Each structure stands twice: as C-alpha cells, then as structure tokens.
Amino acid sequence: MCGIIGRIGRGEAIEPLVTGLENLEYRGYDSAGVAVRNGAGIEIVKRSGTVDTVAEAIDGADLGGSLGIGHTRWSTHGPPTDENAHPHTCATSDVAVVHNGVIENHAALRARLRDAGHEFTSETDTEVVPHLVHEHLDRGLEPEAAFRRAVDELEGSYAIAAICDGATAIYAARQGSPLVVGYAGDGYFLASDVPAFLEYTDTVTYLEDGDVAVLRPDGVRITDRTGTPARRDRQTVDWNAGEAGKGDFDHYMLKEITEQPTSLAQAIEGRYDADTGRIALEDLDSFADVERVVLVACGTSYHAAKYGTVALRRSGVDATAILANECSLAAPPIDEETLVIAVTQSGETADTLAAVDWAKRHGARTLALTNVVGSSAARETDQQLFIRAGPEIGVAATKTFSSQAVLLSLLAHRIAVDSTGTSGLAHEELCRELERLPDHVSSIVDESTAASIATRYHGRDAYFFIGRGYGYPVAKEGALKFKEITYEHAEGFASGELKHGPLALVTPETPVYAIFTGEEDGVTRTNAAEATTRGAPVVAICPPGHDAIELADAHLAIPDVHPILSGLLATIQLQLVSYHAASLLDREIDKPRNLAKSVTVE
C-alpha cells in the first residue's frame, strides 16, 4: 500500500519522480504528490485523484531541482483529499516528508506538538513527522540529526523519506515497511518497490528494519539507528523495464494473464526432470525432520496456500493453511518439527511477516515462497523458494498465483519424500505434464471463449464458483478475482457446501462456474445439477468430452491433464472471465477501488 519515490543526482529530478509515481500507482491511487528542492525552497504539488491529475498540475509549477520525493497514496488515516495527500510539511515548509505504514503513537505526538504551538492541516498520522523534524531543527540540530531524533520518537511501522531546505540530501528510515535504494549512473533513487525506477537502474540495495539511509549526490550511506554503519549488499534485479511496462495491452492484468506461459516456464525451470520423473529443488535443505506443515498467507496467496495444502495432504504430509492475520489466535500448535511456509507475492505483506515472526518465536522452521529476492520475507525466513514470475503490476494477482501453486505442488513432493520416504503424488506423470504446461496455458489464452461467456452472463445478480479438491481453492480464487475487479457479488464454495446454505441464493440470475479437475467429478456434477434445477445457468470448466458438458449451459475448455495441474489451467480461464466481465462494466481493472497491490500494514 502506498508508493514512495525519491531521486537525487545530476539533472532535473521531476521527470524521474513522475515516472516513478506512474510506475508505483498500483500501490495506491487515491492521491499523489511531489516535493522538489529548487534552490529557493521546497516546492510541493499534490492532489487527490490519480497520478495523471498531479502530472497535469506539475506542468504549471516551478519544480526545477535535482532532488525530490514523491508519493502515491492508499488512504488509511483520513479520506483522499488534497490536504491528506503526501508530501506533508511543517508550518514553514522547510521540511517535506512522505511515509508508508502506520505511526501508532501519532495522536500523542500530535497533542504534544499542538501544545507547543504547532498547527496541523491534515488528518494523517504522517504529518507529525515533518513537525518533529522541524522541532529538532529549531533546537539547533543539523538536518540528519534532526531526522534521526524524529524517527526515534515514532512507534509503529514506517518507510519514511524526507528532504530539508538547505540540505542536499534525502533522508530515509525503514521499520516494517519496504524501502529500496537504486544506483543509477547519474544519481540515486529511493523507492518502496523496484519497478519505480527500473528503467533507470537494476542495481539495488534493500534496506532492513532499523536502517537509516542518507542519499547525497556523491553517494549513499546506510547506518543503524545509532549511526553505526550497516553493511547492505548491492544486488542486480533480474527484471527489466519491458516486463514492468504495459506494452500494447489495454491493461496490465491482461498482459500478465498472457505472460503465464513464460512465468510458469521460469518457475519450474531446473526444478524437475521430465525424463527421470525427479523433482529437484536442490537449493533447499532436507525436510527429513518435518512432521507437519503450516502455510500462512493472505488474499490470493492464501488460495495458493490452500492449493498447496491439498498437494501436501495428497503426498501424505500433515498440512494446514491458515490466514496469516489469524495465525497468532487460530494456528495449530507448532514446534521445532513444524515447517511454516509464508506464501507472499511481494514478500512484504505485514500480516504474513507477523506470522513468520510468531512462528520463529515458537521454534518453527520457516520458508518463504515469494517473488522478490530481497524482500523482508526472503531475509527473515530460514529458507526461500522464489517463484520467478517477474514484476506483477495489476492489483489483482494472476501470474503470481499460478506460479505459487505450481511450486507448492513441487514442494509438496519434495517434503513428502524427505520426511516420509515416499510421496502420494504420481510424480513421474506430474513431471511429464510439467513439460507441456506452458503450451497448455498458451492454448487456453489463445482459444478461450471467456469473453463471450462474460458477455452472455453480464448483469446477473451474483456469481457462484464451486470446486472439489484442487478445484476448491480455485473456486475461491475465481470468486475473489471476480469481486476484486468487477465489484459484483461473487462467492466460491466447496462443491458439497452449495446445498448447506448457499443454494438458498441460487436463482436463474445466478451463474454457477463449476470446476472439474478429474477427481471425484461426479460429486461436483451432482452439485451443479442441483443449481440447474433452480434455473441457474452452469458453466463447466473441464476438458472437451467431459460428461459435465451435457449438463452445462456453457463450457470453458481445459486440457485433460493431471488433477494437480487441471486446477491451475481452470484458474486461467476464470481470470479471463473476470477480466472480460470487468471490461464490460468499464471498471478500473488495474486499479480496483479501495485495493492496493502490497498490504504493508496489519
């Protein structure tokens, strides 16, 4: 949630700042703004609305200067207004600050500052920060020392970037919210996510909790809170600007759906052998001492975790998926024989990171399944498995879900073999199917009739999704995608649960999407038939020739493959249905209301 960009170096800062905001708009898009030090002070332009609104306002502003900061917001404290947009300043406008996260003691700090004569103009927690910095400047501290002193007074989670009039520097601090430094030929960048500056550089350093960074035209210095130098390695990001762009597509989401043959090929490359039926994952330590697995995740990643749970149980491993935000209250008992897998696309999801911390304190072994090499989850877990999906900009996750699900399926086999000596999965058959998986996905993308089906059932009262086994988490994910970007009522159920309450909502205006994976399909067919007797149209997602087609009113075809991959292929059809349904409704598909890509507060 929310995006930060900063730039310092040779030349004008405003163009890369606006580019960074445009690249980060998936992290927040209800308001945006920039602050540039132009030699005569700090000039600020900020507006409620999209980055385009701010860009138009910038055209008439005096924003020359070689250093600045920017922000695109997803509201937490206060509604999206001009006043609540970042950057925020002190009364004299000689300090400007942008911030992600939540400052938990902001009310107490605001009250103290008000008593000292400070006046506030917004409802945000962020506004206390520039006032604190200004207070310490007034007491005679240099800008860096004033910034450090202000940060010391904060409680909560934050990524902060600040500039001060008269100081040729950007000051930054991280605690529980991501920040990354970029090294370009003509200067330095600071951002909450790499795509912000990817067209300028792919060389980065990820800040860690407690880090304070000072960016100057001649270099970057990273220390801990006390000022002690902190060694943070530079890394080369294995993404490119083209991957982060929209290209010729109308929406990032459609681009990312069509990228799945490539992203899945990257996810499985070198991790299995089709000739021998061997699943490798050789970078991971043995799981011989693992007695049980608990997967923690949120949102789409939780549905991938549920998919992985089915694969683990089919492999003979005791496994449970739990929402990360419920972990400390509802998780099963864990100990040193428990493997906790954190499934998180960004590696920065606050609830999932909190669950990892909780698991470590209880002695569990931890593993991150994530897309971002330098993310907090990757750094804070014992082992890491990267999904290699490349940048995903659309808020509604697509290619990351499929990559997470397929890697959890491979991981299930590896854990089972290590811990029990055998696996319930037919891994030789699975490996043969993996060889053809990218081609299967390509055929679905090229030949799908999802657009016509979305048109056929446009404007209905509600949309239900049902599935069994691997089809159940796919049904949940299909419904989530639909509601995320269409804003229409959609629900996903285990097939057998339809008659335990939800059937009361089924009418001729309630299309039911039924997922058939090749496991106990007769039960799902029976449940779908119950919907048809109430007049509901049924869309069968199944291979050609499947007997469910006779029952159904429409058919979305998937290849006849191993059940563990059938669910993945059904997911892609449902992603396309959601996309086309949202397009018919003229929704903001890449930027659905009230949602942001990376939820970095609990």
Side-chain angles (χ1 to χ4, degrees), residues 325-590:
N325 37 50
E326 290 291 303
C327 184
S328 62
L329 297 173
I334 65 171
D335 55 26
E336 64 278 0
E337 294 180 331
T338 305
L339 173 67
V340 173
I341 302 175
V343 186
T344 162
Q345 178 274 137
S346 67
E348 302 293 349
T349 306
D351 295 316
T352 305
L353 293 174
V356 168
D357 180 66
W358 180 85
K360 290 168 68 176
R361 285 188 279 110
H362 285 76
R365 178 175 167 185
T366 57
L367 183 149
L369 182 74
T370 184
N371 196 33
V372 183
V373 172
S375 62
S376 297
R379 293 197 307 270
E380 295 175 13
T381 50
D382 300 315
Q383 295 187 89
Q384 304 77 37
L385 183 58
F386 297 105
I387 67 172
R388 305 172 183 165
E392 185 178 66
I393 306 302
V395 169
T398 52
K399 64 179 182 177
T400 52
F401 172 84
S402 58
S403 293
Q404 287 171 337
V406 75
L407 281 181
L408 284 169
S409 301
L410 298 185
L411 184 61
H413 169 78
R414 167 64 190 277
I415 293 171
V417 170
D418 285 0
S419 61
T420 69
T422 186
S423 171
L425 288 177
H427 50 276
E428 293 88 355
E429 179 186 353
L430 174 59
C431 286
R432 289 193 298 271
E433 297 284 7
L434 286 170
E435 189 78 3
R436 298 187 292 164
L437 179 61
D439 290 337
H440 287 325
V441 176
S442 291
S443 69
I444 289 175
V445 170
D446 292 342
E447 300 168 15
S448 176
T449 58
S452 64
I453 288 176
T455 301
R456 182 174 177 179
Y457 298 117
H458 175 59
R460 299 303 177 98
D461 292 343
Y463 301 83
F464 285 179
F465 300 76
I466 62 172
R468 188 173 178 84
Y470 292 110
Y472 172 43
V474 170
K476 298 289 287 184
E477 174 60 12
L480 177 62
K481 281 293 141 302
F482 202 91
K483 68 181 74 172
E484 279 181 322
I485 63 170
T486 69
Y487 315 153
E488 299 294 299
H489 180 216
E491 297 294 338
F493 307 101
S495 298
E497 282 298 294
L498 191 64
K499 58 185 173 289
H500 292 282
L503 199 59
L505 300 175
V506 171
T507 75
E509 294 300 307
T510 316
V512 176
Y513 288 83
I515 300 145
F516 297 89
T517 64
E519 289 188 316
E520 299 188 18
D521 284 350
V523 178
T524 299
R525 191 183 189 283
T526 298
N527 299 134
E530 291 176 333
T532 65
T533 63
R534 276 75 181 175
V538 168
V539 181
I541 301 96
C542 61
H546 196 287
D547 63 5
I549 297 172
E550 299 174 5
L551 164 78
D553 299 273
H555 174 220
L556 286 167
I558 58 174
D560 188 5
V561 297
H562 191 290
I564 202 171
L565 299 183
S566 290
L568 286 179
L569 299 175
T571 297
I572 293 161
Q573 287 283 24
L574 295 179
Q575 291 169 354
L576 288 165
V577 167
S578 297
Y579 172 81
H580 291 296
S583 184
L584 288 168
L585 292 163
D586 198 27
R587 303 301 194 210
E588 284 278 1
I589 290 174
D590 289 331

Side-chain angles (χ1 to χ4, degrees), residues 64-149:
S66 62
L67 72 92
I69 54 177
H71 189 268
T72 180
R73 182 172 184 251
W74 187 71
S75 301
T76 50
H77 292 80
T81 63
D82 289 356
E83 293 78 15
N84 289 334
H86 297 217
H88 289 286
T89 66
C90 60
T92 59
S93 296
D94 59 355
V95 179
V97 167
V98 294
H99 159 243
N100 293 347
V102 175
I103 297 170
E104 294 174 358
N105 62 333
H106 74 97
L109 291 171
R110 183 182 287 248
R112 194 201 83 199
L113 289 163
R114 273 200 175 119
D115 290 343
H118 292 257
E119 296 182 2
F120 293 85
T121 60
S122 81
E123 301 169 71
T124 69
D125 55 338
T126 304
E127 196 181 358
V128 300
V129 182
H131 286 271
L132 288 172
V133 176
H134 178 76
E135 183 178 64
H136 294 302
L137 288 170
D138 271 357
R139 292 173 180 169
L141 293 181
E142 293 298 314
E144 181 180 342
F147 177 77
R148 288 179 180 276
R149 190 68 62 85

Side-chain angles (χ1 to χ4, degrees), residues 135-341:
E135 183 178 64
H136 294 302
L137 288 170
D138 271 357
R139 292 173 180 169
L141 293 181
E142 293 298 314
E144 181 180 342
F147 177 77
R148 288 179 180 276
R149 190 68 62 85
V151 169
D152 285 343
E153 296 186 62
L154 305 179
E155 298 174 5
S157 64
Y158 50 78
I160 297 173
I163 58 175
C164 300
D165 189 24
T168 308
I170 299 174
Y171 307 100
R174 174 201 161 126
Q175 183 63 48
S177 194
L179 274 178
V180 58
V181 174
Y183 303 87
D186 60 352
Y188 304 94
F189 287 87
L190 180 78
S192 48
D193 209 352
V194 170
F197 53 69
L198 197 53
E199 54 239 79
Y200 299 98
T201 180
D202 61 0
T203 304
V204 305
T205 293
Y206 293 93
L207 300 186
E208 298 186 12
D209 282 352
D211 283 354
V212 175
V214 180
L215 287 68
R216 302 186 189 276
D218 59 352
V220 177
R221 181 165 54 91
I222 302 172
T223 66
D224 64 15
R225 291 272 188 80
T226 68
T228 301
R231 180 179 176 81
R232 302 288 180 252
D233 294 335
R234 294 191 188 188
Q235 302 180 33
T236 300
V237 178
D238 189 23
W239 295 349
N240 60 59
E243 287 182 286
K246 191 160 40 177
D248 295 329
F249 290 88
D250 290 334
H251 299 96
Y252 282 108
M253 183 180 179
L254 183 58
K255 173 178 179 281
E256 288 155 4
I257 290 172
T258 64
E259 287 175 342
Q260 286 177 104
T262 300
S263 61
L264 284 165
Q266 291 170 172
I268 62 180
E269 182 182 4
R271 289 166 165 168
Y272 75 100
D273 188 328
D275 294 328
T276 65
R278 180 171 171 270
I279 293 172
L281 302 178
E282 292 175 346
D283 293 340
L284 300 178
D285 296 336
S286 171
F287 298 102
D289 59 348
V290 170
E291 292 291 328
R292 69 198 63 83
V293 177
V294 176
L295 299 95
V296 294
C298 298
T300 286
S301 292
Y302 174 67
H303 297 150
K306 294 285 286 184
Y307 202 96
T309 300
V310 177
L312 282 158
R313 290 174 177 168
R314 292 280 199 282
S315 300
V317 178
D318 179 6
T320 303
I322 189 164
L323 288 165
N325 37 50
E326 290 291 303
C327 184
S328 62
L329 297 173
I334 65 171
D335 55 26
E336 64 278 0
E337 294 180 331
T338 305
L339 173 67
V340 173
I341 302 175

